[in-house]
Amino acid sequence: MTISAPASGAAQGMTVVARTQGQMVRRRFFRHRAALVGMLVFGGVVLLAFTSIGIGPIPGWWDKSYLTTGSLVNQGRPTLSVVPQFLGGEGIRFGEHPFGQDNIGIDYFALTMRGAQQSIIVAFIVAIVATTVGTLAGAFAGYFRKLTESVIMRLTDVMITIPILIIAAIVGRTFGDSGIVILAVCIGLVTWPTLGRLVRGEFLSLREKEFVEAARAVGTSAGRIIFRHVLPNTIGVIIVSATLAVANAVLLESALSFLGVGVQPPDVSLGQLIDTYRSAMTTRPWLFWWPGVFIIAIALSINFIGDGLRDAFDPRQTRVRA
């Protein structure tokens, strides 16, 4: 008795579609519901923050400035209403001061949007600098080994043993008056060790692979092997870590500003607003809660995006299939 081989997909009338790695990553990411929600929330926050009051010479659609004082209207209470009248509310309306006003009559919506802008800008600069430095340090340590690895890893070990908030607070105290860009770059230069260790581990694994040995055999330079052959294979780890670094940088900047060593007046950030109006939490709670809501929304949405990217790049994940 002869047993026939299993019928192929084509024989069974199934269409087999070949997909590239990039296509599979995109499919897995866009099937991750939490990541999609996070992307929509974060995109909405960024769009609202940068289009409402504008940035630099580009004007926004909101007609009030975070620098202009005015008379208090209804004791500075928020005019935003989201409860329809048929449910017993005041109807859906934005009002003249949707987030209320602060103690000197500044529109709190404009002030919160400015704080969100500054926090987002600082977070992205920190993430870019930390990712760049961490990737290069980890790549060189993992590929060259010996003295290069020893020096970089000992520096990494020293920086990791010191609480990052203490290092960032010292940096913030020193460079806080130099502007948010200098502050963010300096914070980024001290927050790279975690990514550096991850990239080093990937390089230690990949440097012994056959394609790297083949590249060495034909005389390919070390720089070309690192940047053209090994580094592209670690892009998943780097992208996920960079995404999570943005969320961590938002929280770190907020903590520094809350402690008074982050963004300095006359500019504002979300953490600084919380620090300034924490005493009003019981009497005028909207001055405390609005910046907190935006910090939570930004950090949580970016964490969801990072979670989706991790699942998309990791082929061992089974929760979201391609």
Side-chain angles (χ1 to χ4, degrees):
M1 180 176 180
T2 302
I3 300 177
S4 59
S8 65
Q12 295 177 356
M14 299 170 58
T15 302
V16 179
V17 180
R19 298 190 180 95
T20 64
Q21 179 67 20
Q23 289 174 328
M24 289 189 291
V25 168
R26 285 194 297 272
R27 284 174 62 86
R28 283 195 288 262
F29 178 78
F30 286 110
R31 290 187 177 187
H32 196 290
R33 295 180 180 178
L36 291 181
V37 172
M39 190 166 59
L40 291 175
V41 171
F42 181 68
V45 170
V46 172
L47 192 65
L48 181 64
F50 285 92
T51 63
S52 58
I53 61 172
I55 182 169
I58 304 174
W61 49 265
W62 189 241
D63 61 350
K64 296 177 180 61
S65 171
Y66 67 94
L67 298 172
T68 305
T69 61
S71 58
L72 288 176
V73 179
N74 191 24
Q75 298 181 343
R77 297 181 182 278
T79 59
L80 177 68
S81 176
V82 295
V83 181
Q85 292 181 348
F86 67 87
L87 292 178
E90 299 180 0
I92 299 176
R93 59 184 176 84
F94 212 54
E96 184 178 1
H97 300 287
F99 289 4
Q101 295 171 280
D102 71 354
N103 298 330
I104 58 176
I106 297 178
D107 180 68
Y108 208 60
F109 175 78
L111 205 57
T112 303
M113 292 303 102
R114 178 62 178 179
Q117 284 184 4
Q118 298 299 83
S119 296
I120 291 171
I121 290 172
V122 170
F124 271 96
I125 294 176
V126 169
I128 291 171
V129 173
T131 300
T132 302
V133 175
T135 298
L136 293 176
F140 292 152
Y143 184 81
F144 291 112
R145 305 293 303 275
K146 299 181 180 178
L147 180 62
T148 302
E149 181 184 25
S150 297
V151 172
I152 294 176
M153 286 300 101
R154 296 299 77 76
L155 176 62
T156 300
D157 292 339
V158 171
M159 295 181 67
I160 287 179
T161 57
I162 304 174
I164 189 62
L165 188 59
I166 295 178
I167 301 178
I170 296 173
V171 170
R173 173 66 68 181
T174 306
F175 299 99
D177 296 327
S178 303
I180 63 167
V181 175
I182 301 299
L183 173 65
V185 170
C186 292
I187 294 176
L189 291 175
V190 298
T191 54
W192 57 267
T194 301
L195 176 59
R197 292 171 70 93
L198 290 174
V199 173
R200 169 182 170 268
E202 293 292 315
F203 265 73
L204 288 176
S205 174
L206 293 171
R207 72 187 301 272
E208 307 299 335
K209 298 293 184 181
E210 291 80 1
F211 69 91
V212 177
E213 294 293 341
R216 288 200 196 99
V218 298
T220 306
S221 65
R224 186 175 180 85
I225 292 175
I226 290 174
F227 292 104
R228 294 294 300 273
H229 297 283
V230 184
L231 196 59
N233 287 282
T234 66
I235 195 67
V237 172
I238 294 171
I239 290 177
V240 173
S241 298
T243 305
L244 297 178
V246 175
N248 292 333
V250 169
L251 298 176
L252 180 60
E253 184 280 325
S254 300
L256 291 177
S257 296
F258 181 79
L259 295 174
V261 294
V263 177
Q264 298 297 314
D267 222 329
V268 297
S269 72
L270 295 176
Q272 187 192 77
L273 289 176
I274 290 179
D275 177 51
T276 302
Y277 298 109
R278 58 180 171 174
S279 60
M281 185 176 177
T282 55
T283 57
R284 306 174 70 189
W286 58 88
L287 298 178
F288 181 86
W289 287 114
W290 282 119
V293 167
F294 274 83
I295 290 174
I296 294 172
I298 293 171
L300 197 59
S301 61
I302 296 177
N303 275 320
F304 283 153
I305 294 172
D307 190 43
L309 288 172
R310 183 200 63 201
D311 291 352
F313 277 103
D314 189 352
R316 295 169 297 181
Q317 295 288 339
T318 57
R319 185 172 63 176
V320 181
R321 297 183 180 275

